[in-house]
Amino acid sequence: MKKLITLIEAIEKVDTSKYSNIKWEGSASSDKINSSLLAEINAAANAADITVTISTANSGHRTTTSSGHLSRHKTGEAVDISRINGTGWSSKEDAKSKNILSQIESFVKKLSNAGYKINSESGNIKSVLYFGFPEHNDHIHVSSKSDEVSSDLSIDDLPSSPEEYAQNFMINLIAKPAKQIFGLNESKQRRVMKDIEKIKKLLK
């Protein structure tokens, strides 16, 4: 009962200012949504260095799933993401042609690392549905019946090279003062570091 009460409290009206890596379309931001779900989506997007656009939450979504069960959308426990960095897609091939496939895969991997089951929702507390799941080739469905935020989303993948390790070290080193002085979040800090590297290469 205590768990249920906590989850009910987590499903609340959206405060969009809390989620710097999430954008909104239509009436989605006016719906009541599981705040833990949004926090994990935002953290996964930040870790993947992207922004995601939530186009559908509760409003406008059908009440039942194709299997006849009550949709998690209607209980505030699911959202649909239709754009990555402002770009939508109609299929996996379309996403590849628009150069956003790798970003989509990275985002889904971050969620998977945090316990989201890929392309399987029934019986799972957390789920992410996308390419290969019926009727989900043009968007990413993310759902969670949990009121807890996974700590795994704050851990990036291991660096693939000494240069990447050094870059991550520098980002972590400047993160706190940069945020205080310039108001930069981690995603923007990473972009600044990448721009610095590009400039250094041009000057060689």
Side-chain angles (χ1 to χ4, degrees):
M1 179 62 72
K2 184 177 180 181
K3 192 79 171 178
L4 177 59
I5 292 173
T6 305
L7 178 56
I8 291 173
E9 290 175 344
I11 298 174
E12 59 187 17
K13 194 175 187 315
V14 177
D15 180 356
T16 57
S17 66
K18 291 182 179 179
Y19 313 108
S20 59
N21 288 73
I22 298 178
K23 294 184 177 181
W24 305 85
E25 279 186 358
S27 59
S29 62
S30 299
D31 290 338
K32 290 185 177 181
I33 306 172
N34 183 351
S35 57
S36 298
L37 168 65
L38 294 179
E40 290 187 323
I41 290 174
N42 190 68
N46 183 64
D49 198 21
I50 61 171
T51 59
V52 299
T53 300
I54 293 178
S55 55
T56 307
N58 182 338
S59 301
H61 198 278
R62 64 191 185 195
T63 303
T64 58
T65 64
S66 56
S67 60
H69 294 97
L70 178 66
S71 170
R72 292 186 183 183
H73 282 276
K74 307 312 288 185
T75 56
E77 298 168 318
V79 298
D80 287 339
I81 293 168
S82 62
R83 297 180 187 277
I84 298 292
N85 292 336
T87 301
W89 65 96
S90 59
S91 64
K92 187 172 184 177
E93 292 72 23
D94 186 45
K96 184 177 181 179
S97 70
K98 293 177 177 176
N99 297 317
I100 57 172
L101 179 59
S102 61
Q103 288 95 327
I104 292 173
E105 296 289 2
S106 176
F107 174 66
V108 170
K109 182 180 179 182
K110 301 294 183 184
L111 290 174
S112 176
N113 290 343
Y116 284 77
K117 300 300 181 183
I118 297 176
N119 286 350
S120 177
E121 184 169 74
S122 181
N124 295 310
I125 294 176
K126 297 179 180 182
S127 173
V128 54
L129 313 177
Y130 77 136
F131 301 129
F133 194 88
E135 301 179 5
H136 286 75
N137 285 321
D138 61 351
H139 68 280
I140 305 169
H141 167 97
V142 190
S143 72
S144 174
K145 298 176 73 68
S146 174
D147 62 315
E148 299 176 350
V149 178
S150 173
S151 60
D152 291 335
L153 282 164
S154 63
I155 303 174
D156 287 337
D157 295 332
L158 290 175
S160 58
S161 67
E163 290 79 11
E164 185 178 349
Y165 179 88
Q167 179 174 311
N168 290 342
F169 176 81
M170 289 301 298
I171 288 172
N172 291 331
L173 186 66
I174 69 172
K176 189 172 182 179
K179 185 174 182 180
Q180 292 175 339
I181 298 171
F182 303 108
L184 298 178
N185 60 29
E186 184 179 342
S187 177
K188 290 180 180 178
Q189 292 163 25
R190 195 174 295 278
R191 292 194 192 99
V192 168
M193 292 299 294
K194 288 180 179 178
D195 289 340
I196 290 173
E197 288 302 316
K198 290 178 182 178
I199 293 170
K200 285 168 63 178
K201 289 179 181 179
L202 290 172
L203 293 175
K204 286 182 178 179

